[in-house]
Amino acid sequence: MELQGDDGPVQPGPAKRRAILAALALEVNRPVTLDRLVGLLWAGQAPASAVANIRNHVAALRGTLGDRIVSRPSAYQLNLEPHELDVAQFRRLAAQGRDALARGEPAGAEPDLAAALRLWRGPAGLGLSGGAELDVLIAGLETDRLRVVEDLADVRLTLGYTDELVPALRDHLTAHPLRERAWAQLMLAHYRSSDLGAALAAYRQAQAALQSQLGVEPGSALTGLHVAMLDRAPQLDLLVRPPAGRSQAGGLEVPRELPPDPALFTGRAGELAAVLAAARPAPGRRAPAVVVVHGPPGSGKTALVTRAGHRLAHAFPDGQVFTEAGPDVSAADLMARVLRAFGVPAAEVPEHVDERIGRYRSLLAARRVLIVVHGAACAGQVRPLVPGSAGSALLVTSRCPLPMPEGVPHVELRVRHH
């Protein structure tokens, strides 16, 4: 969290004040309610003084930001121009690069994707103090960065920069060993550098990482690439535009978007068991698994579904997507987010809602995927996201019970008092 003024860096203040500014910036130009800020900034039960603390910190921030922070009914809003927020610039450049890549213009995509990554000067949220919900937003930023790193690798593979890619991809995979798309890119970079042995060794390393950390085998895209390399398939040598919605490494991406497994998670054994039992695939099950976890801010919903997601990951080897809802997010927005997580270019996400639903269900139909929707405001946001087949599952968090189809279990959490 950095704040730059006309005369250079400005110190926003103590850690909690920086976290408030970060939370408002991540919801830029939209009102953020006091309840939402409390949930973002405190893990577990917030202190009785939480709202007063927020008001005091916002008053101090106004001394620096002036009328960029405005009051709304029981809410605050940070108003910024696109060039004033590096997150907005990052997303704009990334979208431009992806659109160029989708049009088959890798040389045009490279400058924008590289410029987007140059805006990063360290881990997202470094030094911020926040609650589990703010951590989720920050983890989403990191997921966006990883996708752009791999988009740029696709571009450079297409342009033939194979030798230069190997060390960069090695560093990327050392930090993120579950990124199957990046493993495929590393295999292709070795293969196109005429080093089949290194390419096959990279596959074995990917296989070992996925087995040791998730207990799963590589997905079909990675195994298919491995077989093609063993067969020395001629198409691996062709530098051509990939099919729509697919990476150069072959196949749709396999997203692994769950936030880090909570280090401290106690006292929720019964609720965790209920979520796992309802979401875990079962022999003979014909309907998709859907579970709603509801409770007030500070009750531990985020930690519970994150822990459950990590326990269920091996049962959903084709990907785990973690997405934020909220009052201003539609079901169509959430479906577009899931499609992009699987590598569908933004330009190829259908505009018409019915077509988007069809694309979403088609994508999930032959896969075993875990979708987590955090912070649903109403049932209408998540009902269309119910998978069409029994192989996938949907976990939803909300502050209150949701009128879902008959038989959908609800797990209630209450704030624990210490």
Side-chain angles (χ1 to χ4, degrees), residues 2 27 33 48 73 78 82 118 123 131 136 154 163 213 218 222-223 278 304 322 348 367 379:
E2 295 179 1
E27 302 282 356
T33 67
L78 176 62
R118 284 196 296 272
V136 167
D154 265 352
D163 290 334
Q213 297 194 36
L222 203 56
T223 55
L304 177 63
F322 196 104
E348 296 178 15
R367 294 176 176 84

PDB file of all heavy atoms in Angstrom, residues 2 27 33 48 73 78 82 118 123 131 136 154 163 213 218 222-223 278 304 322 348 367 379:
ATOM      1  N   GLU A   2       0.918   1.932  -1.129  1.00  0.00           N
ATOM      2  CA  GLU A   2       1.719   3.143  -1.247  1.00  0.00           C
ATOM      3  C   GLU A   2       0.833   4.300  -1.693  1.00  0.00           C
ATOM      4  O   GLU A   2      -0.081   4.111  -2.499  1.00  0.00           O
ATOM      5  CB  GLU A   2       2.856   2.963  -2.265  1.00  0.00           C
ATOM      6  CG  GLU A   2       3.885   1.940  -1.861  1.00  0.00           C
ATOM      7  CD  GLU A   2       4.974   1.774  -2.909  1.00  0.00           C
ATOM      8  OE1 GLU A   2       4.925   2.474  -3.947  1.00  0.00           O
ATOM      9  OE2 GLU A   2       5.853   0.926  -2.703  1.00  0.00           O
ATOM     10  N   GLU A  27     -12.406  -1.297  -3.809  1.00  0.00           N
ATOM     11  CA  GLU A  27     -13.807  -1.108  -4.215  1.00  0.00           C
ATOM     12  C   GLU A  27     -13.980   0.295  -4.790  1.00  0.00           C
ATOM     13  O   GLU A  27     -15.006   0.940  -4.594  1.00  0.00           O
ATOM     14  CB  GLU A  27     -14.724  -1.297  -2.995  1.00  0.00           C
ATOM     15  CG  GLU A  27     -14.611  -2.639  -2.310  1.00  0.00           C
ATOM     16  CD  GLU A  27     -15.336  -3.740  -3.055  1.00  0.00           C
ATOM     17  OE1 GLU A  27     -15.998  -3.438  -4.071  1.00  0.00           O
ATOM     18  OE2 GLU A  27     -15.253  -4.902  -2.628  1.00  0.00           O
ATOM     19  N   THR A  33     -19.968  -0.198   2.722  1.00  0.00           N
ATOM     20  CA  THR A  33     -20.692   0.025   3.973  1.00  0.00           C
ATOM     21  C   THR A  33     -19.772  -0.164   5.174  1.00  0.00           C
ATOM     22  O   THR A  33     -18.747  -0.857   5.096  1.00  0.00           O
ATOM     23  CB  THR A  33     -21.882  -0.927   4.096  1.00  0.00           C
ATOM     24  OG1 THR A  33     -21.386  -2.276   4.231  1.00  0.00           O
ATOM     25  CG2 THR A  33     -22.805  -0.848   2.886  1.00  0.00           C
ATOM     26  N   ALA A  48     -15.958  -3.544  20.016  1.00  0.00           N
ATOM     27  CA  ALA A  48     -17.112  -2.643  20.057  1.00  0.00           C
ATOM     28  C   ALA A  48     -16.785  -1.282  19.464  1.00  0.00           C
ATOM     29  O   ALA A  48     -17.675  -0.565  18.979  1.00  0.00           O
ATOM     30  CB  ALA A  48     -17.592  -2.493  21.504  1.00  0.00           C
ATOM     31  N   PRO A  73     -24.681   7.014   3.011  1.00  0.00           N
ATOM     32  CA  PRO A  73     -25.420   6.502   4.177  1.00  0.00           C
ATOM     33  C   PRO A  73     -24.769   5.239   4.734  1.00  0.00           C
ATOM     34  O   PRO A  73     -24.711   4.210   4.061  1.00  0.00           O
ATOM     35  CB  PRO A  73     -26.812   6.211   3.616  1.00  0.00           C
ATOM     36  CG  PRO A  73     -26.945   7.149   2.450  1.00  0.00           C
ATOM     37  CD  PRO A  73     -25.567   7.240   1.858  1.00  0.00           C
ATOM     38  N   LEU A  78     -14.350   5.910  -2.027  1.00  0.00           N
ATOM     39  CA  LEU A  78     -13.133   6.535  -2.517  1.00  0.00           C
ATOM     40  C   LEU A  78     -13.268   6.742  -4.022  1.00  0.00           C
ATOM     41  O   LEU A  78     -13.417   5.777  -4.770  1.00  0.00           O
ATOM     42  CB  LEU A  78     -11.918   5.652  -2.212  1.00  0.00           C
ATOM     43  CG  LEU A  78     -10.569   6.138  -2.742  1.00  0.00           C
ATOM     44  CD1 LEU A  78     -10.174   7.476  -2.129  1.00  0.00           C
ATOM     45  CD2 LEU A  78      -9.481   5.093  -2.497  1.00  0.00           C
ATOM     46  N   PRO A  82      -8.997   6.682 -13.321  1.00  0.00           N
ATOM     47  CA  PRO A  82      -8.289   5.428 -13.623  1.00  0.00           C
ATOM     48  C   PRO A  82      -6.776   5.527 -13.483  1.00  0.00           C
ATOM     49  O   PRO A  82      -6.133   4.599 -12.996  1.00  0.00           O
ATOM     50  CB  PRO A  82      -8.704   5.149 -15.079  1.00  0.00           C
ATOM     51  CG  PRO A  82     -10.053   5.792 -15.219  1.00  0.00           C
ATOM     52  CD  PRO A  82      -9.984   7.030 -14.365  1.00  0.00           C
ATOM     53  N   ARG A 118       4.975  -4.670 -14.772  1.00  0.00           N
ATOM     54  CA  ARG A 118       5.941  -3.723 -14.204  1.00  0.00           C
ATOM     55  C   ARG A 118       5.336  -2.854 -13.114  1.00  0.00           C
ATOM     56  O   ARG A 118       6.059  -2.251 -12.313  1.00  0.00           O
ATOM     57  CB  ARG A 118       6.517  -2.838 -15.316  1.00  0.00           C
ATOM     58  CG  ARG A 118       7.561  -3.551 -16.185  1.00  0.00           C
ATOM     59  CD  ARG A 118       8.372  -2.547 -16.995  1.00  0.00           C
ATOM     60  NE  ARG A 118       7.558  -1.810 -17.945  1.00  0.00           N
ATOM     61  CZ  ARG A 118       7.304  -2.221 -19.189  1.00  0.00           C
ATOM     62  NH1 ARG A 118       7.793  -3.387 -19.625  1.00  0.00           N
ATOM     63  NH2 ARG A 118       6.567  -1.485 -20.010  1.00  0.00           N
ATOM     64  N   PRO A 123       4.777  -8.233  -3.152  1.00  0.00           N
ATOM     65  CA  PRO A 123       3.539  -8.986  -2.922  1.00  0.00           C
ATOM     66  C   PRO A 123       2.363  -8.061  -2.637  1.00  0.00           C
ATOM     67  O   PRO A 123       2.517  -7.024  -1.987  1.00  0.00           O
ATOM     68  CB  PRO A 123       3.867  -9.856  -1.700  1.00  0.00           C
ATOM     69  CG  PRO A 123       5.359  -9.878  -1.624  1.00  0.00           C
ATOM     70  CD  PRO A 123       5.830  -8.576  -2.192  1.00  0.00           C
ATOM     71  N   GLY A 131      -8.549  -8.338   8.058  1.00  0.00           N
ATOM     72  CA  GLY A 131      -9.193  -9.587   8.439  1.00  0.00           C
ATOM     73  C   GLY A 131      -9.152 -10.567   7.301  1.00  0.00           C
ATOM     74  O   GLY A 131      -8.594 -10.301   6.237  1.00  0.00           O
ATOM     75  N   VAL A 136      -8.827 -12.115   1.358  1.00  0.00           N
ATOM     76  CA  VAL A 136      -9.403 -12.740   0.161  1.00  0.00           C
ATOM     77  C   VAL A 136      -9.308 -11.795  -1.034  1.00  0.00           C
ATOM     78  O   VAL A 136      -8.946 -12.204  -2.149  1.00  0.00           O
ATOM     79  CB  VAL A 136     -10.866 -13.148   0.423  1.00  0.00           C
ATOM     80  CG1 VAL A 136     -11.581 -13.502  -0.881  1.00  0.00           C
ATOM     81  CG2 VAL A 136     -10.918 -14.334   1.377  1.00  0.00           C
ATOM     82  N   ASP A 154       2.728 -17.199 -22.573  1.00  0.00           N
ATOM     83  CA  ASP A 154       2.107 -17.696 -23.810  1.00  0.00           C
ATOM     84  C   ASP A 154       2.534 -16.855 -25.014  1.00  0.00           C
ATOM     85  O   ASP A 154       2.863 -17.386 -26.086  1.00  0.00           O
ATOM     86  CB  ASP A 154       0.580 -17.654 -23.677  1.00  0.00           C
ATOM     87  CG  ASP A 154      -0.015 -18.972 -23.222  1.00  0.00           C
ATOM     88  OD1 ASP A 154       0.731 -19.971 -23.147  1.00  0.00           O
ATOM     89  OD2 ASP A 154      -1.220 -19.011 -22.925  1.00  0.00           O
ATOM     90  N   ASP A 163      14.353 -19.915 -24.862  1.00  0.00           N
ATOM     91  CA  ASP A 163      15.470 -19.995 -23.914  1.00  0.00           C
ATOM     92  C   ASP A 163      15.327 -18.974 -22.794  1.00  0.00           C
ATOM     93  O   ASP A 163      15.608 -19.259 -21.627  1.00  0.00           O
ATOM     94  CB  ASP A 163      16.801 -19.786 -24.638  1.00  0.00           C
ATOM     95  CG  ASP A 163      17.152 -20.954 -25.549  1.00  0.00           C
ATOM     96  OD1 ASP A 163      16.679 -22.067 -25.264  1.00  0.00           O
ATOM     97  OD2 ASP A 163      17.877 -20.743 -26.533  1.00  0.00           O
ATOM     98  N   GLN A 213       1.014 -32.127  -2.712  1.00  0.00           N
ATOM     99  CA  GLN A 213       0.291 -31.022  -2.080  1.00  0.00           C
ATOM    100  C   GLN A 213      -1.223 -31.129  -2.179  1.00  0.00           C
ATOM    101  O   GLN A 213      -1.935 -30.617  -1.319  1.00  0.00           O
ATOM    102  CB  GLN A 213       0.757 -29.689  -2.670  1.00  0.00           C
ATOM    103  CG  GLN A 213       2.237 -29.398  -2.392  1.00  0.00           C
ATOM    104  CD  GLN A 213       2.611 -27.961  -2.681  1.00  0.00           C
ATOM    105  OE1 GLN A 213       1.832 -27.038  -2.459  1.00  0.00           O
ATOM    106  NE2 GLN A 213       3.818 -27.752  -3.173  1.00  0.00           N
ATOM    107  N   PRO A 218      -1.953 -34.746 -12.570  1.00  0.00           N
ATOM    108  CA  PRO A 218      -2.094 -33.607 -13.488  1.00  0.00           C
ATOM    109  C   PRO A 218      -3.370 -33.715 -14.307  1.00  0.00           C
ATOM    110  O   PRO A 218      -3.864 -34.808 -14.597  1.00  0.00           O
ATOM    111  CB  PRO A 218      -0.856 -33.716 -14.377  1.00  0.00           C
ATOM    112  CG  PRO A 218       0.151 -34.455 -13.545  1.00  0.00           C
ATOM    113  CD  PRO A 218      -0.643 -35.426 -12.729  1.00  0.00           C
ATOM    114  N   LEU A 222      -2.296 -31.163 -19.250  1.00  0.00           N
ATOM    115  CA  LEU A 222      -0.879 -31.432 -18.999  1.00  0.00           C
ATOM    116  C   LEU A 222      -0.512 -32.862 -19.411  1.00  0.00           C
ATOM    117  O   LEU A 222       0.541 -33.095 -20.014  1.00  0.00           O
ATOM    118  CB  LEU A 222      -0.575 -31.198 -17.517  1.00  0.00           C
ATOM    119  CG  LEU A 222       0.881 -30.889 -17.144  1.00  0.00           C
ATOM    120  CD1 LEU A 222       1.385 -29.684 -17.909  1.00  0.00           C
ATOM    121  CD2 LEU A 222       0.997 -30.642 -15.642  1.00  0.00           C
ATOM    122  N   THR A 223      -1.382 -33.824 -19.103  1.00  0.00           N
ATOM    123  CA  THR A 223      -1.083 -35.206 -19.499  1.00  0.00           C
ATOM    124  C   THR A 223      -1.115 -35.354 -21.018  1.00  0.00           C
ATOM    125  O   THR A 223      -0.313 -36.097 -21.599  1.00  0.00           O
ATOM    126  CB  THR A 223      -2.076 -36.191 -18.849  1.00  0.00           C
ATOM    127  OG1 THR A 223      -3.416 -35.799 -19.178  1.00  0.00           O
ATOM    128  CG2 THR A 223      -1.928 -36.201 -17.338  1.00  0.00           C
ATOM    129  N   ALA A 278     -21.595 -32.601   2.765  1.00  0.00           N
ATOM    130  CA  ALA A 278     -22.565 -32.167   1.761  1.00  0.00           C
ATOM    131  C   ALA A 278     -21.919 -31.912   0.403  1.00  0.00           C
ATOM    132  O   ALA A 278     -22.564 -32.081  -0.640  1.00  0.00           O
ATOM    133  CB  ALA A 278     -23.280 -30.908   2.239  1.00  0.00           C
ATOM    134  N   LEU A 304     -13.906 -20.958   7.216  1.00  0.00           N
ATOM    135  CA  LEU A 304     -14.528 -22.282   7.106  1.00  0.00           C
ATOM    136  C   LEU A 304     -14.538 -22.774   5.662  1.00  0.00           C
ATOM    137  O   LEU A 304     -14.131 -23.911   5.381  1.00  0.00           O
ATOM    138  CB  LEU A 304     -15.951 -22.239   7.657  1.00  0.00           C
ATOM    139  CG  LEU A 304     -16.733 -23.556   7.541  1.00  0.00           C
ATOM    140  CD1 LEU A 304     -16.077 -24.663   8.358  1.00  0.00           C
ATOM    141  CD2 LEU A 304     -18.188 -23.370   7.971  1.00  0.00           C
ATOM    142  N   PHE A 322     -12.325 -19.250  -6.709  1.00  0.00           N
ATOM    143  CA  PHE A 322     -12.795 -18.488  -5.543  1.00  0.00           C
ATOM    144  C   PHE A 322     -13.139 -17.090  -6.032  1.00  0.00           C
ATOM    145  O   PHE A 322     -12.279 -16.370  -6.528  1.00  0.00           O
ATOM    146  CB  PHE A 322     -11.699 -18.420  -4.483  1.00  0.00           C
ATOM    147  CG  PHE A 322     -12.181 -18.002  -3.119  1.00  0.00           C
ATOM    148  CD1 PHE A 322     -12.329 -18.931  -2.101  1.00  0.00           C
ATOM    149  CD2 PHE A 322     -12.490 -16.676  -2.849  1.00  0.00           C
ATOM    150  CE1 PHE A 322     -12.775 -18.550  -0.842  1.00  0.00           C
ATOM    151  CE2 PHE A 322     -12.935 -16.285  -1.592  1.00  0.00           C
ATOM    152  CZ  PHE A 322     -13.077 -17.225  -0.590  1.00  0.00           C
ATOM    153  N   GLU A 348     -14.239 -13.212 -25.596  1.00  0.00           N
ATOM    154  CA  GLU A 348     -15.014 -14.373 -26.028  1.00  0.00           C
ATOM    155  C   GLU A 348     -16.060 -14.813 -25.001  1.00  0.00           C
ATOM    156  O   GLU A 348     -16.727 -15.822 -25.181  1.00  0.00           O
ATOM    157  CB  GLU A 348     -14.060 -15.529 -26.350  1.00  0.00           C
ATOM    158  CG  GLU A 348     -13.148 -15.211 -27.527  1.00  0.00           C
ATOM    159  CD  GLU A 348     -12.167 -16.327 -27.826  1.00  0.00           C
ATOM    160  OE1 GLU A 348     -12.373 -17.446 -27.314  1.00  0.00           O
ATOM    161  OE2 GLU A 348     -11.202 -16.080 -28.556  1.00  0.00           O
ATOM    162  N   ARG A 367     -16.264 -31.663 -16.384  1.00  0.00           N
ATOM    163  CA  ARG A 367     -15.181 -31.427 -15.434  1.00  0.00           C
ATOM    164  C   ARG A 367     -15.666 -31.571 -14.007  1.00  0.00           C
ATOM    165  O   ARG A 367     -16.855 -31.510 -13.731  1.00  0.00           O
ATOM    166  CB  ARG A 367     -14.593 -30.018 -15.641  1.00  0.00           C
ATOM    167  CG  ARG A 367     -13.902 -29.844 -16.978  1.00  0.00           C
ATOM    168  CD  ARG A 367     -13.423 -28.402 -17.188  1.00  0.00           C
ATOM    169  NE  ARG A 367     -12.694 -28.296 -18.442  1.00  0.00           N
ATOM    170  CZ  ARG A 367     -13.275 -28.127 -19.611  1.00  0.00           C
ATOM    171  NH1 ARG A 367     -14.589 -28.036 -19.694  1.00  0.00           N
ATOM    172  NH2 ARG A 367     -12.538 -28.061 -20.710  1.00  0.00           N
ATOM    173  N   ALA A 379     -30.170 -14.903  -3.288  1.00  0.00           N
ATOM    174  CA  ALA A 379     -30.156 -16.189  -3.994  1.00  0.00           C
ATOM    175  C   ALA A 379     -30.050 -16.011  -5.501  1.00  0.00           C
ATOM    176  O   ALA A 379     -29.470 -16.849  -6.194  1.00  0.00           O
ATOM    177  CB  ALA A 379     -31.418 -16.978  -3.645  1.00  0.00           C
TER     178      ALA A 379
END
